[in-house]
Amino acid sequence: MRLQIEQYRFRLISLIIILVLGAQLVASFGHANRFFPFMWYPMYAEAHFEGERINVEHRIYAVTRDGRRHYVDPVSDLEIDFWRYERRFARPLRDHKLENIRPILEMVVDRYPTFTELQVEDYPMIITREGPKPVPKRTISVVRREDVDEVLR
């Protein structure tokens, strides 16, 4: 009788583990950085040292012929949250991987049809002994309208 109870207990625990792992797999399907056991932990992040410049955030500007810069807002212009904006739009745009962000580029062209270039600006911090401090922002990448149009053809 005791052996039967232990077998049922083992099967029940195994079933619970399988259900939890299966639920995690379903929840993480299609989401980058979620396949590692359960969640992304800061302890797996890269170490940073004093004097190092860290890109905290990127901002995208659509520049028109008259030189005006229009901030491409993630919420009102693209209807995405900050993390999707940063990981799925700003970083690929910065790296000129335009083919990967084709749907978002279509939205930008619809919103700002007269832009001549897209500028990627970083908003960095620098590590100091007193903690992170903001440093001057700078334009780190420029994507010409012709390059965008070529990808959208």
Side-chain angles (χ1 to χ4, degrees):
M1 181 72 170
R2 180 156 174 80
L3 183 62
Q4 253 183 340
I5 292 173
E6 287 298 318
Q7 285 178 338
Y8 284 126
R9 184 171 170 249
F10 176 78
R11 288 181 182 160
L12 179 64
I13 291 172
S14 297
L15 180 64
I16 290 170
I17 291 171
I18 289 170
L19 288 174
V20 167
L21 291 174
Q24 178 60 36
L25 181 64
V26 169
S28 65
F29 183 72
H31 295 87
N33 299 328
R34 285 196 172 180
F35 284 107
F36 193 73
F38 294 100
M39 64 187 333
W40 181 85
Y41 293 101
M43 70 181 189
Y44 298 128
E46 193 177 309
H48 298 288
F49 303 98
E50 186 176 356
E52 186 176 352
R53 182 182 174 104
I54 301 170
N55 287 332
V56 177
E57 171 185 5
H58 295 93
R59 290 197 180 177
I60 311 300
Y61 292 92
V63 182
T64 56
R65 292 182 204 278
D66 60 3
R68 292 191 325 166
R69 299 173 73 213
H70 303 276
Y71 173 57
V72 180
D73 187 83
V75 177
S76 63
D77 294 339
L78 305 177
E79 299 176 4
I80 57 177
D81 62 36
F82 169 79
W83 294 110
R84 285 189 179 97
Y85 178 80
E86 183 65 29
R87 292 183 180 149
R88 296 185 183 168
F89 180 51
R91 290 179 190 173
L93 186 66
R94 173 195 68 192
D95 299 335
H96 293 272
K97 296 180 179 177
L98 303 181
E99 194 62 45
N100 298 346
I101 55 174
R102 184 184 182 119
I104 300 175
L105 287 175
E106 290 172 351
M107 294 170 75
V108 172
V109 169
D110 287 345
R111 180 79 169 99
Y112 301 101
T114 62
F115 80 89
T116 57
E117 65 184 23
L118 294 173
Q119 294 179 349
V120 182
E121 206 170 74
D122 74 343
Y123 284 75
M125 303 287 261
I126 192 164
I127 303 297
T128 66
R129 288 191 184 276
E130 294 79 36
K133 303 280 186 203
V135 293
K137 57 190 175 192
R138 63 182 180 185
T139 300
I140 57 174
S141 182
V142 176
V143 177
R144 298 175 323 162
R145 175 62 184 254
E146 296 81 23
D147 297 336
V148 172
D149 290 340
E150 186 176 317
V151 168
L152 295 180
R153 283 187 202 142

